[in-house]
Amino acid sequence: MINLFLFCRAGYEKECAAEIQHRAAELDIGGFVKTNNNDAYVIFQCFQDGDAELLAKKISLDSLIFARQMFAAAQLLKSLPEADRVSPIVDALSEVSKAGELRVETPDTNEAKELSNFCRKFTVPLRQALKRSGSLLEKENPKRPIIHVCFVASGTAYVGYSLSHNSSPHYRGIPRLKMAADAPSRSTLKLDEAFIHFIPKDEQEQRLRSGLNAVDLGACPGGWTYQLVRRGMFVAAVDNGPMNEDLMNTGQVKHYMADGFRFEPPRKNIYWLVCDMVEKPSRVAELIEAWAINGWFKEAIFNLKLPMKSRYKEVSQILATMQEILTENGIEDFHLACKHLYHDRDEVTVHLWLRPETGF
Ligand code: SAM
């Protein structure tokens, strides 16, 4: 296949494009990006047929900041005939064999969402036809490739597949999270999504367990603290603002009216550090680095507010500097990941896990 299709947030096509261009160049895979503002997707068109599969295999989706999902795609199918849209799609997918799932999707834009009813209905006959052609297994299989058919306009679709171990488990790469009625702020969904994204399901019981100590810098009104409390943790909430009363009544939260940049945890048994302060990203990164060097936490999740320009460049520089500083200070064993999550707007979320080899 010739194209790599990447889903991103509308308005972030340039960042997603810059990132995939950079990563493909590192692998010596030639091609160019095709993107339009606010389309919520980017195409990297390879010079050589077959290279899209290589990219989809070699670049880990988790290592991409701005792509929510990606798949190797054939040439764009245009003007699909209303009377039979199924056959051309089945033909275009003839090289895919025994896939385990079919997703008929649209980019995350209001215009494309109007196609979602059609997509739902269309899935049924398409699934049957792909089973008959052998492209899709009779029974869903989570270990086999996923077929993606993404309608970017009526009668116009990119079709292809992703590898199940290098693909988002979510339709369009978007997790569906429910806002709890008693959560103090919508921001709560950002940390909820971050935990789901960065912590594998089978490790959540250990790494997000009840009884752990946490610090929340820039905590008010308490949306992030809420996520920690609901998992049974004890939280030092640092902010000069007012905390949600119900959260305080749980007895699991101690509110420190203090500057998050000067706060030092009174006890040094902190497992989770989370930070959602609206500040210059480099300043937040320096703070997290200082905490890491002091050994004040085991895992951290923090937001970096994005600048107006050169957003990909700036974030990559901050992450590269963080890696350097940690290494220079004797922390060699760490895991650092960054994602523009669905609930993030003009910010990205970073996860830093120190010495993962030493266990939870
Ligand atoms: N995560 C919170 C939630 O889910 O409810 C929302 C945090 S809000 C985006 C940013 C917070 O950071 C504000 O409440 C603000 O008072 C706090 N903040 C900004 N600078 C701070 C600083 N230097 N020290 C402590 N808190 C700070």
Side-chain angles (χ1 to χ4, degrees):
M1 293 190 175
I2 193 108
N3 294 312
L4 187 70
F5 186 105
L6 303 116
F7 289 90
C8 66
R9 172 181 274 280
Y12 281 83
E13 299 79 11
K14 272 198 199 97
E15 287 68 29
C16 187
E19 185 172 34
I20 192 62
Q21 231 164 355
H22 176 205
R23 299 294 302 276
E26 280 179 344
L27 292 170
D28 255 339
I29 294 183
F32 57 96
V33 285
K34 294 202 291 195
T35 159
N36 292 309
N37 277 347
N38 294 313
D39 270 359
Y41 70 92
V42 167
I43 298 293
F44 183 83
Q45 187 170 327
C46 303
F47 292 139
Q48 224 168 305
D49 200 17
D51 273 359
E53 278 101 330
L54 267 186
L55 289 175
K57 208 183 282 176
K58 289 194 171 175
I59 299 177
S60 125
L61 178 65
D62 284 346
S63 72
L64 292 173
I65 300 170
F66 290 97
R68 291 175 180 168
Q69 174 68 297
M70 66 178 175
F71 64 92
Q75 292 287 11
L76 179 64
L77 299 178
K78 287 186 207 161
S79 314
L80 289 165
E82 247 178 74
D84 177 19
R85 291 187 173 112
V86 169
S87 303
I89 294 178
V90 171
D91 286 349
L93 288 166
S94 61
E95 65 182 89
V96 182
S97 159
K98 296 186 184 151
E101 190 188 338
L102 165 67
R103 294 187 197 164
V104 182
E105 299 165 304
T106 61
D108 183 24
T109 63
N110 288 335
E111 303 79 63
K113 258 183 235 152
E114 285 169 17
L115 294 168
S116 52
N117 256 346
F118 158 79
C119 289
R120 230 187 340 269
K121 285 188 202 144
F122 183 63
T123 304
V124 181
L126 181 61
R127 187 182 285 127
Q128 290 310 326
L130 288 168
K131 283 181 182 174
R132 277 196 301 274
S133 74
S135 287
L136 191 64
L137 286 172
E138 271 304 316
K139 262 186 142 183
E140 282 208 353
N141 184 333
K143 295 201 169 75
R144 296 290 307 160
I146 300 159
I147 291 179
H148 297 263
V149 173
C150 185
F151 278 89
V152 293
S154 175
T156 310
Y158 282 98
V159 305
Y161 69 96
S162 65
L163 300 171
S164 57
H165 63 272
N166 196 22
S167 182
S168 164
H170 310 292
Y171 179 73
R172 308 197 297 168
I174 300 175
R176 290 271 153 238
L177 299 182
K178 256 207 172 145
M179 166 92 183
D182 57 343
S185 66
R186 274 203 73 76
S187 291
T188 198
L189 293 173
K190 291 193 287 182
L191 188 60
D192 202 12
E193 183 183 357
F195 282 149
I196 291 169
H197 178 78
F198 292 115
I199 317 291
K201 218 174 184 175
D202 57 346
E203 292 181 12
Q204 284 176 9
E205 218 178 283
Q206 275 299 315
R207 291 163 66 188
L208 296 170
R209 68 182 177 275
S210 159
L212 289 177
N213 291 305
V215 170
D216 183 356
L217 300 176
C220 291
W224 285 30
T225 293
Y226 175 89
Q227 291 298 333
L228 300 160
V229 163
R230 114 178 150 78
R231 290 171 170 87
M233 297 187 211
F234 295 94
V235 187
V238 184
D239 199 310
N240 276 315
M243 278 299 276
N244 174 279
E245 263 184 40
D246 291 345
L247 265 182
M248 295 309 299
N249 290 339
T250 61
Q252 286 168 247
V253 184
K254 188 157 184 196
H255 185 186
Y256 293 85
M257 292 236 182
D259 180 351
F261 287 92
R262 291 164 183 262
F263 179 78
E264 183 174 324
R267 288 165 50 194
K268 304 293 186 291
N269 55 353
I270 306 301
Y271 189 95
W272 277 103
L273 167 65
V274 298
C275 172
D276 189 23
M277 290 190 285
V278 183
E279 250 297 340
K280 257 178 70 183
S282 55
R283 190 158 181 235
V284 171
E286 279 165 25
L287 178 70
I288 305 295
E289 284 151 18
W291 274 63
I293 292 162
N294 284 327
W296 287 349
F297 67 87
K298 176 87 181 159
E299 294 198 54
I301 283 180
F302 53 99
N303 269 345
L304 297 177
K305 309 294 164 194
L306 290 166
M308 296 304 284
K309 283 186 189 158
S310 314
R311 296 186 279 205
Y312 170 59
K313 197 170 152 210
E314 177 130 346
V315 172
S316 349
Q317 263 166 7
I318 289 175
L319 296 174
T321 307
M322 183 169 278
Q323 299 214 353
E324 259 174 51
I325 289 181
L326 294 179
T327 313
E328 275 167 20
N329 282 277
I331 307 172
E332 311 230 321
D333 179 19
F334 61 87
H335 175 80
L336 182 64
C338 177
K339 200 79 176 171
H340 193 204
L341 297 173
Y342 175 67
H343 292 94
D344 284 336
R345 290 186 181 274
D346 297 322
E347 64 208 333
V348 288
T349 303
V350 186
H351 174 228
L352 175 61
W353 185 12
L354 300 177
R355 303 182 180 87
E357 295 308 318
T358 57
F360 312 129

